[in-house]
Amino acid sequence: QVQLVESGGGLVQVGGSLTLSCVASGDIDKINVMGWYRQAPGNQRILVAGINPGGILKYADFAKGRMTISTGDTKNMVFLDMKDLTPEDTSVYYCNVGDQRGLALPGRNWGQGIQVNVSS
């Protein structure tokens, strides 16, 4: 079992930046893929960015050029740097990790979610 704790969310103005952090604990040796998803009210949870053990990155179209996923020196941290934020980025962001190697589907472990609000 893996536990995930996100931090770094909050309120930011249009055009601003935020960095989300996620720390994993527990059975971290089984972690392969790491990623971020988001879910706005009334919408499905969707991928923002993911990274697999080979360093392959996957970004949603809306994230390309504005958001960057990275991992820490150890396998238990993943970050999401976000810039040029718009009100459409307002959402709950979820950290996600899994033991599979591909990025087609989310992993089985989710964080509790962290709110990001972008004000106009």
Side-chain angles (χ1 to χ4, degrees):
Q1 192 74 3
V2 175
Q3 295 78 44
L4 302 171
V5 178
E6 301 106 334
S7 61
L11 177 64
V12 64
Q13 291 187 329
V14 169
S17 301
L18 275 179
T19 296
L20 303 182
S21 301
C22 175
V23 179
S25 60
D27 212 358
I28 64 171
D29 287 341
K30 292 186 178 180
I31 294 175
N32 282 319
V33 297
M34 307 184 83
W36 291 92
Y37 286 71
R38 75 184 191 185
Q39 187 171 20
N43 292 339
Q44 291 185 332
R45 192 174 299 186
I46 58 174
L47 174 73
V48 177
I51 183 169
N52 79 351
I56 293 175
L57 307 176
K58 181 177 181 179
Y59 289 98
D61 286 343
F62 63 79
K64 292 176 182 176
R66 300 191 302 123
M67 301 182 185
T68 303
I69 188 170
S70 61
T71 57
D73 293 336
T74 59
K75 329 179 32 171
N76 71 324
M77 297 189 74
V78 60
F79 308 96
L80 185 68
D81 292 310
M82 305 186 291
K83 66 179 182 180
D84 299 328
L85 290 166
T86 73
E88 287 69 35
D89 295 314
T90 294
S91 192
V92 178
Y93 286 73
Y94 294 89
C95 180
N96 175 266
V97 303
D99 57 8
Q100 77 273 26
R101 304 187 73 82
L103 293 169
L105 295 173
R108 69 180 67 186
N109 302 287
W110 294 95
Q112 79 282 3
I114 191 163
Q115 182 71 45
V116 172
N117 290 314
V118 184
S119 66
S120 57

PDB file of all heavy atoms in Angstrom, residues 17 21 46 57 62 65 87 96 101 107 116:
ATOM      1  N   SER A  17       1.830  31.317 -11.053  1.00  0.00           N
ATOM      2  CA  SER A  17       2.467  29.999 -11.050  1.00  0.00           C
ATOM      3  C   SER A  17       2.243  29.311  -9.705  1.00  0.00           C
ATOM      4  O   SER A  17       2.069  29.973  -8.676  1.00  0.00           O
ATOM      5  CB  SER A  17       3.974  30.139 -11.292  1.00  0.00           C
ATOM      6  OG  SER A  17       4.245  30.779 -12.521  1.00  0.00           O
ATOM      7  N   SER A  21       3.375  19.481  -4.942  1.00  0.00           N
ATOM      8  CA  SER A  21       4.295  18.436  -4.505  1.00  0.00           C
ATOM      9  C   SER A  21       3.506  17.251  -3.987  1.00  0.00           C
ATOM     10  O   SER A  21       2.418  17.415  -3.438  1.00  0.00           O
ATOM     11  CB  SER A  21       5.214  18.951  -3.392  1.00  0.00           C
ATOM     12  OG  SER A  21       5.962  20.066  -3.817  1.00  0.00           O
ATOM     13  N   ILE A  46      -9.116  13.731 -15.138  1.00  0.00           N
ATOM     14  CA  ILE A  46      -8.316  13.578 -16.349  1.00  0.00           C
ATOM     15  C   ILE A  46      -6.832  13.723 -16.055  1.00  0.00           C
ATOM     16  O   ILE A  46      -6.428  14.391 -15.093  1.00  0.00           O
ATOM     17  CB  ILE A  46      -8.732  14.596 -17.437  1.00  0.00           C
ATOM     18  CG1 ILE A  46      -8.598  16.032 -16.910  1.00  0.00           C
ATOM     19  CG2 ILE A  46     -10.144  14.314 -17.929  1.00  0.00           C
ATOM     20  CD1 ILE A  46      -8.854  17.090 -17.972  1.00  0.00           C
ATOM     21  N   LEU A  57       7.574  11.035 -20.680  1.00  0.00           N
ATOM     22  CA  LEU A  57       6.591  11.963 -20.153  1.00  0.00           C
ATOM     23  C   LEU A  57       5.347  11.966 -21.036  1.00  0.00           C
ATOM     24  O   LEU A  57       5.426  11.802 -22.245  1.00  0.00           O
ATOM     25  CB  LEU A  57       7.177  13.377 -20.102  1.00  0.00           C
ATOM     26  CG  LEU A  57       8.511  13.536 -19.379  1.00  0.00           C
ATOM     27  CD1 LEU A  57       9.005  14.972 -19.505  1.00  0.00           C
ATOM     28  CD2 LEU A  57       8.380  13.150 -17.920  1.00  0.00           C
ATOM     29  N   PHE A  62      -3.625  20.580 -22.804  1.00  0.00           N
ATOM     30  CA  PHE A  62      -3.733  21.853 -22.102  1.00  0.00           C
ATOM     31  C   PHE A  62      -2.522  22.124 -21.211  1.00  0.00           C
ATOM     32  O   PHE A  62      -2.276  23.249 -20.799  1.00  0.00           O
ATOM     33  CB  PHE A  62      -5.011  21.927 -21.259  1.00  0.00           C
ATOM     34  CG  PHE A  62      -5.087  20.909 -20.155  1.00  0.00           C
ATOM     35  CD1 PHE A  62      -4.402  21.090 -18.959  1.00  0.00           C
ATOM     36  CD2 PHE A  62      -5.851  19.768 -20.306  1.00  0.00           C
ATOM     37  CE1 PHE A  62      -4.472  20.161 -17.947  1.00  0.00           C
ATOM     38  CE2 PHE A  62      -5.929  18.818 -19.297  1.00  0.00           C
ATOM     39  CZ  PHE A  62      -5.236  19.019 -18.106  1.00  0.00           C
ATOM     40  N   GLY A  65       3.690  22.943 -22.509  1.00  0.00           N
ATOM     41  CA  GLY A  65       4.249  24.280 -22.536  1.00  0.00           C
ATOM     42  C   GLY A  65       3.992  25.097 -21.292  1.00  0.00           C
ATOM     43  O   GLY A  65       4.596  26.155 -21.110  1.00  0.00           O
ATOM     44  N   PRO A  87      -8.214  30.621 -15.358  1.00  0.00           N
ATOM     45  CA  PRO A  87      -9.345  30.122 -14.560  1.00  0.00           C
ATOM     46  C   PRO A  87      -9.745  28.692 -14.930  1.00  0.00           C
ATOM     47  O   PRO A  87     -10.280  27.968 -14.075  1.00  0.00           O
ATOM     48  CB  PRO A  87     -10.455  31.114 -14.882  1.00  0.00           C
ATOM     49  CG  PRO A  87      -9.724  32.386 -15.201  1.00  0.00           C
ATOM     50  CD  PRO A  87      -8.486  31.956 -15.910  1.00  0.00           C
ATOM     51  N   ASN A  96      -1.015  10.659  -8.323  1.00  0.00           N
ATOM     52  CA  ASN A  96      -1.341   9.269  -8.636  1.00  0.00           C
ATOM     53  C   ASN A  96      -0.065   8.482  -8.921  1.00  0.00           C
ATOM     54  O   ASN A  96       0.808   8.966  -9.639  1.00  0.00           O
ATOM     55  CB  ASN A  96      -2.253   9.229  -9.854  1.00  0.00           C
ATOM     56  CG  ASN A  96      -2.546   7.816 -10.309  1.00  0.00           C
ATOM     57  OD1 ASN A  96      -1.875   7.274 -11.189  1.00  0.00           O
ATOM     58  ND2 ASN A  96      -3.559   7.204  -9.708  1.00  0.00           N
ATOM     59  N   ARG A 101       3.969  -0.022 -15.802  1.00  0.00           N
ATOM     60  CA  ARG A 101       5.030   0.734 -16.452  1.00  0.00           C
ATOM     61  C   ARG A 101       4.503   1.693 -17.510  1.00  0.00           C
ATOM     62  O   ARG A 101       5.216   2.607 -17.928  1.00  0.00           O
ATOM     63  CB  ARG A 101       6.058  -0.214 -17.058  1.00  0.00           C
ATOM     64  CG  ARG A 101       6.644  -1.185 -16.039  1.00  0.00           C
ATOM     65  CD  ARG A 101       7.774  -2.006 -16.609  1.00  0.00           C
ATOM     66  NE  ARG A 101       8.985  -1.209 -16.781  1.00  0.00           N
ATOM     67  CZ  ARG A 101       9.851  -0.946 -15.808  1.00  0.00           C
ATOM     68  NH1 ARG A 101       9.646  -1.415 -14.585  1.00  0.00           N
ATOM     69  NH2 ARG A 101      10.936  -0.232 -16.047  1.00  0.00           N
ATOM     70  N   GLY A 107      -2.541   4.798 -12.056  1.00  0.00           N
ATOM     71  CA  GLY A 107      -2.165   3.797 -11.084  1.00  0.00           C
ATOM     72  C   GLY A 107      -3.254   3.610 -10.048  1.00  0.00           C
ATOM     73  O   GLY A 107      -4.266   4.315 -10.040  1.00  0.00           O
ATOM     74  N   VAL A 116      -6.744  23.839  -6.371  1.00  0.00           N
ATOM     75  CA  VAL A 116      -6.075  24.965  -7.024  1.00  0.00           C
ATOM     76  C   VAL A 116      -7.166  25.876  -7.574  1.00  0.00           C
ATOM     77  O   VAL A 116      -8.035  25.434  -8.326  1.00  0.00           O
ATOM     78  CB  VAL A 116      -5.146  24.497  -8.160  1.00  0.00           C
ATOM     79  CG1 VAL A 116      -4.628  25.689  -8.950  1.00  0.00           C
ATOM     80  CG2 VAL A 116      -3.984  23.683  -7.601  1.00  0.00           C
TER      81      VAL A 116
END
